[in-house]
Amino acid sequence: MKKILLLFLISCSVYSQSEYPQDYFRNPLDITLVLSGTFAELRSSHFHGGLDIKTQRKQGLKVYTAAEGYVSRIKVSHFGYGKAIYVTHPNGYTTVYGHLQKFSKRIEQYIKDCQYEKESFEVEMFPTTEELLVEQDEVIGYSGNTGSSGGPHLHFEIRDNQERPMNPMLFGIDVKDTKAPFVSAVYAYPKDENAIINGKNERVPLRLIPQKTGDYEVEKISAYGNIGFGITSYDKQDLAPNNNGVSNIQTFFNGNKSLEIDFKRFSFDESKHIKRLIDYEYFKNKKSRIQKLFIQKNNPLSLYKDANDNGYIKVEDSTSSIYKVRIRDFKGNETWITIPVNGKYEVIEKEIDEDLSNKSLVYSDKATTLNSENITVNFYGNTLYDDTLIDFKVASDTLYLHEDNIPLQKNFYINYDLSNYKSEHQDKIYIARLYGYYKKPYYVSTKRKGNIISAGSKEFGTYALAMDTVAPTIKPVNFHDKKWLSKYRFLKVKIEDELSGISKYRATVNGRWILMEYDYKTEMLTHDFNDNIVKDTKNELKIIVTDNVGNSSTFEATFFRK
């Protein structure tokens, strides 16, 4: 272990000279790599930061350190990566292993000591360079399904010394892929009100014509003015049927490069701006992601290269042009789209302006406040990407704040004044977002200051006041009162709250805090008797669960162990 530390201190400057060292990092599992998610793949609100490696639909596979180094961070959380380990290496890179079922024995003991000291399941620790040294090929954990995972897999990342995630395949992590990307849709977009595409001044779907080569032609379009294009494209690997993200997109206009999007590296700070890369309105309405091959204002993404006129093309009247798109996966398999463009000026009839009576203008670059009755909505500068007219209407305690089809950079804030409410349960009121046909209320994190309650959100939609006076439920799963549990390894309890949701919980045995791991997906609290905290024969269990507005329930039972 001392050798590892010495190498770390000496080698940082040596390895950092070589970009993307090959044969340095190993496959973190001892099975063939099959991916369920690729690097920088488009997700609902972010770019995917690593590789999602399939674990044969199982949990408990050994997870190995990709290279020697030291554990620089351990995080345990209900959501996100769940149980995650971060290992910093002598070459300056950090590898991340997420959604783990559990850690290796010494790391598990380290983190449990922290959890018992802090009396919290959720912890985040930053060990020193000497505390948890690890060797290459050392088992540091076991694959699982913790956090916001949608199924058993290992999330694996490689980050540079600025904490920016990079494609692990740049470092020789190999996945079999001989299949070229495919395209399911192509669209053309007018840049402004003076642009025309097939006689329209709006997004226009284009007819794809698949070729025997695997490439695509698009039926010739007529256009005039400044226009851009968008595509819906995916890649498949050889050993998996699922659709994944592509690695690189380039566009060309009459043979000249127009734009390149390279999904090689990004920063977490910019990941939220995926909403500017995709057609957000189309995604929210159709659940399909169109990748825009042009750059609109207030788009800070670092993925773009060689942006000529921000990826837009200028089409003159009575001209013939060719626009091409090259889509590649990491292994170099590529697909081309060819779009013939016929320049044709047309006079189009402009639509009559819609009713603006319930519309309010929200500025992109300065603060805007909307008021009605007892409700105020605050937009700080740079909340929206563009100056936008939005629907704003209040009826009783319900706020209608446009449809959720406009991208936002950060939270806006809703404030309700409860001064006129005399309800004895006023402290149980919260702000909810209403979803679905039946407008079911879902809790939005609500803060209270005097008679004002506030909540922040990054999504437009319908909001209202809701009340929760019902305490959470607590039900034992594998035991009952006065049961002998000598042969049991785990103590399991289910906790539920249908309205505002679980906020916190606390469990003790004979007055001493015990660790109970919480899985929100199964609503299960689990204590592992191997923690060796429960040592008495007769044990008094007490669990207190509190929801997000302060309703609490207490469960008590006696159990016995030898």
Side-chain angles (χ1 to χ4, degrees), residues 270-301:
E270 66 180 310
S271 190
K272 64 185 178 182
H273 297 294
I274 188 175
K275 295 178 180 179
R276 206 54 166 164
L277 171 70
I278 66 171
D279 185 329
Y280 188 78
E281 178 187 18
Y282 191 87
F283 168 64
K284 297 303 289 190
N285 292 331
K286 303 293 186 180
K287 308 306 178 188
S288 177
R289 297 178 181 87
I290 302 172
Q291 300 163 79
K292 294 183 288 190
L293 307 181
F294 51 90
I295 307 171
Q296 296 166 290
K297 75 171 189 175
N298 294 326
N299 182 342
L301 290 172

Coordinates of all heavy atoms in Angstrom, one line a residue, residues 270-301:
E270 N -22.7 22.2 -17.2 CA -23.4 22.5 -18.4 C -24.4 21.5 -18.8 O -25.1 21.6 -19.7 CB -22.3 22.7 -19.6 CG -21.6 21.4 -19.9 CD -20.6 21.6 -21.0 OE1 -21.0 22.1 -22.1 OE2 -19.4 21.2 -20.8
S271 N -24.4 20.3 -18.1 CA -25.2 19.2 -18.5 C -26.7 19.6 -18.5 O -27.5 19.1 -19.4 CB -25.1 18.1 -17.5 OG -25.7 16.9 -17.9
K272 N -27.2 20.5 -17.7 CA -28.6 20.9 -17.7 C -29.0 21.6 -19.0 O -30.2 21.6 -19.4 CB -28.8 21.9 -16.5 CG -28.1 23.2 -16.7 CD -28.3 24.1 -15.4 CE -27.5 25.4 -15.6 NZ -27.7 26.3 -14.4
H273 N -28.0 22.1 -19.8 CA -28.3 22.8 -21.0 C -28.6 21.8 -22.1 O -28.7 22.2 -23.3 CB -27.2 23.7 -21.4 CG -27.0 24.8 -20.4 ND1 -27.9 25.8 -20.2 CD2 -26.0 25.1 -19.5 CE1 -27.5 26.6 -19.2 NE2 -26.3 26.2 -18.8
I274 N -28.7 20.5 -21.8 CA -29.2 19.6 -22.8 C -30.5 20.1 -23.4 O -30.9 19.8 -24.5 CB -29.3 18.2 -22.2 CG1 -29.7 17.1 -23.3 CG2 -30.4 18.1 -21.1 CD1 -29.7 15.7 -22.8
K275 N -31.3 20.8 -22.5 CA -32.6 21.3 -23.0 C -32.4 22.3 -24.1 O -33.4 22.6 -24.8 CB -33.3 22.0 -21.8 CG -33.6 21.1 -20.6 CD -34.2 21.9 -19.5 CE -34.6 21.1 -18.3 NZ -35.2 21.8 -17.2
R276 N -31.2 22.8 -24.3 CA -31.0 23.7 -25.5 C -30.5 22.9 -26.7 O -30.7 23.4 -27.8 CB -30.0 24.8 -25.1 CG -30.1 26.1 -25.8 CD -31.4 26.7 -25.8 NE -31.4 28.1 -26.2 CZ -32.5 28.8 -26.6 NH1 -33.7 28.2 -26.5 NH2 -32.4 30.0 -26.9
L277 N -29.9 21.8 -26.5 CA -29.5 20.9 -27.6 C -30.7 20.3 -28.3 O -30.8 20.2 -29.5 CB -28.5 19.9 -27.1 CG -28.1 18.8 -28.1 CD1 -27.3 19.4 -29.3 CD2 -27.4 17.6 -27.5
I278 N -31.6 19.7 -27.5 CA -32.8 19.0 -28.0 C -33.9 20.0 -28.3 O -33.9 21.1 -27.7 CB -33.2 17.9 -27.1 CG1 -33.8 18.5 -25.8 CG2 -32.1 16.9 -26.8 CD1 -34.5 17.4 -24.9
D279 N -34.9 19.6 -29.1 CA -36.1 20.3 -29.2 C -37.0 20.0 -28.0 O -37.7 19.0 -28.0 CB -36.8 19.9 -30.5 CG -38.0 20.8 -30.8 OD1 -38.7 21.2 -29.9 OD2 -38.3 20.9 -32.0
Y280 N -36.9 20.9 -27.0 CA -37.6 20.6 -25.7 C -39.1 20.4 -25.9 O -39.7 19.6 -25.3 CB -37.2 21.6 -24.7 CG -37.6 21.3 -23.3 CD1 -37.0 20.4 -22.5 CD2 -38.8 21.9 -22.8 CE1 -37.4 20.1 -21.2 CE2 -39.2 21.6 -21.5 CZ -38.5 20.7 -20.7 OH -38.9 20.4 -19.4
E281 N -39.7 21.3 -26.6 CA -41.1 21.3 -26.8 C -41.6 20.0 -27.4 O -42.5 19.3 -27.0 CB -41.6 22.4 -27.7 CG -43.1 22.4 -28.0 CD -43.5 23.5 -29.0 OE1 -42.7 24.0 -29.8 OE2 -44.7 23.8 -29.1
Y282 N -40.8 19.5 -28.5 CA -41.2 18.2 -29.1 C -41.0 17.1 -28.1 O -41.8 16.2 -28.1 CB -40.3 18.1 -30.4 CG -40.7 16.9 -31.2 CD1 -41.7 17.1 -32.2 CD2 -40.2 15.6 -31.1 CE1 -42.1 16.1 -33.1 CE2 -40.6 14.6 -31.9 CZ -41.6 14.8 -32.9 OH -42.0 13.8 -33.7
F283 N -39.9 17.1 -27.4 CA -39.7 16.1 -26.4 C -40.8 15.9 -25.4 O -41.3 14.8 -25.1 CB -38.3 16.3 -25.7 CG -38.1 15.4 -24.5 CD1 -38.0 14.0 -24.6 CD2 -38.0 16.0 -23.2 CE1 -37.8 13.2 -23.5 CE2 -37.8 15.2 -22.1 CZ -37.7 13.8 -22.3
K284 N -41.2 17.1 -24.8 CA -42.3 17.0 -23.8 C -43.6 16.6 -24.4 O -44.4 15.9 -23.7 CB -42.4 18.4 -23.2 CG -41.2 18.9 -22.4 CD -40.8 18.0 -21.3 CE -41.7 17.9 -20.1 NZ -41.1 17.2 -19.0
N285 N -43.9 16.9 -25.7 CA -45.1 16.5 -26.3 C -45.1 15.1 -26.9 O -46.1 14.4 -26.9 CB -45.6 17.5 -27.3 CG -45.9 18.9 -26.7 OD1 -46.3 18.9 -25.6 ND2 -45.7 19.9 -27.5
K286 N -44.0 14.7 -27.4 CA -43.9 13.5 -28.2 C -43.0 12.4 -27.6 O -42.9 11.3 -28.1 CB -43.4 13.7 -29.6 CG -44.3 14.7 -30.4 CD -45.6 14.2 -30.7 CE -46.4 15.2 -31.6 NZ -47.8 14.7 -31.9
K287 N -42.2 12.8 -26.5 CA -41.3 11.8 -25.9 C -40.2 11.3 -26.8 O -39.7 10.2 -26.6 CB -42.1 10.7 -25.2 CG -43.3 11.1 -24.3 CD -42.8 12.0 -23.3 CE -44.0 12.5 -22.4 NZ -43.6 13.5 -21.4
S288 N -39.8 12.1 -27.7 CA -38.7 11.8 -28.6 C -37.8 13.0 -28.7 O -38.2 14.1 -28.7 CB -39.3 11.5 -30.0 OG -38.2 11.2 -30.9
R289 N -36.5 12.7 -28.7 CA -35.5 13.8 -28.6 C -34.9 14.1 -30.0 O -34.2 13.3 -30.6 CB -34.3 13.4 -27.7 CG -34.8 13.2 -26.2 CD -33.6 12.8 -25.4 NE -34.0 12.6 -24.0 CZ -34.5 11.4 -23.5 NH1 -34.6 10.3 -24.3 NH2 -34.9 11.3 -22.3
I290 N -35.2 15.3 -30.5 CA -34.6 15.8 -31.7 C -33.3 16.5 -31.4 O -33.4 17.5 -30.6 CB -35.6 16.7 -32.5 CG1 -36.9 16.0 -32.8 CG2 -34.9 17.2 -33.8 CD1 -37.9 16.9 -33.4
Q291 N -32.2 16.1 -31.9 CA -31.0 16.9 -31.7 C -30.8 18.0 -32.7 O -30.8 17.7 -33.9 CB -29.8 15.9 -31.8 CG -29.9 14.8 -30.8 CD -29.0 13.6 -31.2 OE1 -27.8 13.7 -31.0 NE2 -29.5 12.6 -31.8
K292 N -30.9 19.2 -32.2 CA -30.8 20.4 -33.1 C -29.4 20.6 -33.6 O -28.4 20.6 -32.8 CB -31.3 21.6 -32.4 CG -32.8 21.6 -32.1 CD -33.3 22.8 -31.4 CE -32.8 23.0 -30.0 NZ -33.5 24.1 -29.3
L293 N -29.2 20.7 -34.9 CA -27.9 20.8 -35.5 C -27.6 22.3 -35.8 O -27.0 22.6 -36.8 CB -27.8 20.0 -36.8 CG -28.2 18.5 -36.6 CD1 -28.1 17.7 -37.9 CD2 -27.3 17.8 -35.5
F294 N -28.0 23.1 -34.9 CA -27.7 24.5 -34.9 C -27.7 25.1 -33.5 O -28.2 24.4 -32.6 CB -28.7 25.3 -35.8 CG -30.2 25.0 -35.4 CD1 -30.8 25.7 -34.4 CD2 -30.8 23.9 -36.0 CE1 -32.1 25.5 -34.1 CE2 -32.2 23.7 -35.6 CZ -32.8 24.4 -34.7
I295 N -27.0 26.2 -33.3 CA -26.8 26.7 -31.9 C -27.6 28.0 -31.8 O -27.4 29.0 -32.4 CB -25.3 27.0 -31.7 CG1 -24.5 25.8 -32.0 CG2 -25.1 27.5 -30.2 CD1 -23.0 26.1 -32.0
Q296 N -28.6 28.0 -30.9 CA -29.4 29.1 -30.5 C -28.7 30.0 -29.4 O -27.8 29.5 -28.8 CB -30.8 28.7 -30.1 CG -31.6 28.0 -31.2 CD -32.8 27.3 -30.6 OE1 -32.7 26.3 -29.9 NE2 -34.0 27.8 -31.0
K297 N -29.2 31.2 -29.2 CA -28.5 32.0 -28.2 C -28.7 31.4 -26.8 O -29.6 30.6 -26.6 CB -29.2 33.4 -28.3 CG -30.5 33.6 -27.7 CD -30.9 35.0 -27.6 CE -32.2 35.2 -26.8 NZ -32.6 36.6 -26.6
N298 N -27.8 31.8 -26.0 CA -27.8 31.4 -24.6 C -27.6 29.8 -24.5 O -28.1 29.2 -23.6 CB -29.0 31.8 -23.8 CG -29.1 33.3 -23.6 OD1 -28.1 33.9 -23.5 ND2 -30.4 33.8 -23.7
N299 N -26.8 29.3 -25.4 CA -26.4 27.9 -25.4 C -24.9 27.8 -25.1 O -24.1 28.0 -26.0 CB -26.8 27.2 -26.7 CG -26.5 25.7 -26.7 OD1 -25.7 25.2 -25.9 ND2 -27.0 25.0 -27.7
P300 N -24.5 27.5 -23.8 CA -23.1 27.5 -23.5 C -22.4 26.1 -23.6 O -21.3 26.0 -23.1 CB -23.2 27.9 -22.0 CG -24.5 27.2 -21.5 CD -25.4 27.2 -22.7
L301 N -23.1 25.2 -24.2 CA -22.5 23.8 -24.3 C -21.1 23.8 -25.0 O -20.9 24.5 -26.0 CB -23.4 22.9 -25.1 CG -24.7 22.5 -24.3 CD1 -25.6 21.7 -25.3 CD2 -24.4 21.7 -23.1

